[in-house]
Amino acid sequence: MDNESLKNLLDEEAFRINSPEFIAADPVQFPRRFSDLRDIEIVAFLSAIIAWGNRRMICRDAERMLAIMGDQPYEYVRDGAFEDLDPSLNIHRTFFARNFQHFLRGMREIYHRHGSLDAFAASLHAGESEAPSWLLVEGMNQVMREANDGESDSRALPQNLATTALKRVNMALRWLVRDDGIVDMGVWSSIPKSKLFVPLDVHVGNTARSLGLITRKANDRKTVGQLMEPLRRFRPEDPCLYDYALFGIGVMSS
C-alpha cells in the first residue's frame, strides 16, 4: 500500500471510530464523569493503570475504584482515606490496595506541591521533551518513592523506562491532552498533542505490522518510537488520532 492510500485508510478509520459511541464501552468514560481537573487526572490515571485484560472487566473494576473513593477522588486523596484500606484487597487482577495506596500517596504529595498533575508536568518541562510521558513517569516515580519510604512499585507505574512502551500512561495522556471534543477531554496544557505517543499494545502492534508501519517484533519503547515516525508525517499536529484507526482496523480484522 502506498503512503497516500495508507493515510487515507487511517484517516477514514480514525474518523469512524473516534465518535461519542466509543465512550460507553471504554475506560475513558470514568474520567469523563468529572469536571474538576484533579478528579479527572486521578481517575484517568487509575483507569489507565488497570487497563489490561478484558474491557468489560476493566470497566467493572474501575467502577469499583470509584466506589472505594466515594465518587470524590480528589477529596479521597487529599484526606488520605486510602490508608484505611486493607492492603491485600484485590482491585483488578494483580493490582491490589497496596498498589493503589502507593500511587495515591504520591499523588497526594504532587497535589500538595503543585496543585495538579498538569502543573507538575509543566514543572518538569515535559512538553518540551521529545518523550513527555517517559519524563513525566520518571518524575512521578521519584515523588512516589519519597512518599513511600523509598519504595518503588511497578504495579503503580512502570519502572523500566528505558524499554517500556508506557501503553497505559500514553492512553491516559491521550485522554487528557487531545482536544477535539469527541472522546478525549483535552484538559491539559502542559503537553502539546503533537508530542503524544500511541498506546502500543499487542493489538495495535499487530495491526501496525500488518500495514507495514513497524517492522520490530517487540512492543517496546523503541517500537512505539518507530510507529510514531509515519504517523507524525501523516498528521504532525495530531498523530495520536491514528490510535483510533489502529484500534478500529484491528477489531475489524480480528
Side-chain angles (χ1 to χ4, degrees):
M1 188 180 297
D2 61 59
N3 281 340
E4 184 178 357
S5 299
L6 181 53
K7 182 181 185 303
N8 289 340
L9 172 65
L10 292 173
D11 284 337
E12 180 180 335
E13 283 298 299
F15 289 117
R16 181 176 71 85
I17 296 294
N18 183 27
S19 68
E21 291 73 29
F22 181 88
I23 296 167
D26 192 81
V28 72
Q29 67 183 278
F30 299 104
R32 286 180 62 90
R33 294 179 186 179
F34 297 89
S35 57
D36 186 287
L37 175 61
R38 298 162 300 185
D39 290 328
I40 293 169
E41 291 172 339
I42 292 164
V43 177
F45 266 78
L46 286 173
S47 299
I49 284 170
I50 67 165
W52 83 94
N54 179 276
R55 288 173 89 209
R56 186 175 299 176
M57 183 184 296
I58 293 165
C59 291
R60 180 200 70 189
D61 293 343
E63 199 78 70
R64 179 188 302 175
M65 279 197 295
L66 286 182
I68 288 171
M69 295 186 285
D71 292 310
Q72 295 182 303
Y74 175 66
E75 296 299 323
Y76 183 82
V77 171
R78 186 193 64 183
D79 296 343
F82 50 85
E83 298 293 1
D84 296 333
L85 293 175
D86 178 350
S88 66
L89 173 71
N90 182 250
I91 293 176
H92 177 73
R93 301 185 73 175
T94 59
F95 187 80
F96 290 83
R98 59 180 172 270
N99 314 115
F100 182 70
Q101 290 166 323
H102 181 98
F103 181 81
L104 294 185
R105 287 183 193 114
M107 290 294 283
R108 185 185 187 193
E109 187 60 29
I110 286 170
Y111 285 122
H112 175 70
R113 297 182 193 178
H114 299 276
S116 73
L117 191 56
D118 187 29
F120 177 65
S123 77
L124 298 173
H125 304 287
E128 299 169 24
S129 169
E130 292 304 309
S133 46
W134 285 269
L135 180 62
L136 175 61
V137 171
E138 181 181 11
M140 292 176 72
N141 276 331
Q142 181 177 337
V143 175
M144 287 180 187
R145 282 191 295 271
E146 294 169 3
N148 286 277
D149 300 321
E151 295 293 322
S152 299
D153 187 345
S154 61
R155 297 293 180 194
L157 284 175
Q159 306 294 313
N160 55 332
L161 297 184
T163 57
T164 178
L166 277 185
K167 178 254 181 179
R168 295 189 286 273
V169 171
N170 282 321
M171 182 167 66
L173 291 184
R174 196 201 78 207
W175 297 341
L176 294 167
V177 172
R178 284 197 72 253
D179 58 355
D180 60 8
I182 301 173
V183 174
D184 301 315
M185 294 170 286
V187 293
W188 270 25
S189 59
S190 60
I191 298 171
K193 61 185 176 183
S194 61
K195 294 284 191 77
L196 292 175
F197 284 72
V198 163
L200 177 63
D201 61 13
V202 171
H203 302 294
V204 167
N206 289 342
T207 302
R209 288 183 193 91
S210 72
L211 295 172
L213 292 166
I214 55 176
T215 55
R216 301 185 75 253
K217 293 182 179 179
N219 293 321
D220 58 10
R221 179 173 178 172
K222 190 171 182 179
T223 298
V224 74
Q226 184 184 76
L227 174 58
M228 295 312 299
E229 291 177 10
L231 301 187
R232 293 193 201 283
R233 287 198 304 272
F234 291 157
R235 190 171 287 267
E237 78 287 357
D238 186 19
C240 276
L241 171 65
Y242 293 128
D243 184 33
Y244 292 101
L246 296 170
F247 171 85
I249 295 167
V251 168
M252 188 171 65
S253 62
S254 61

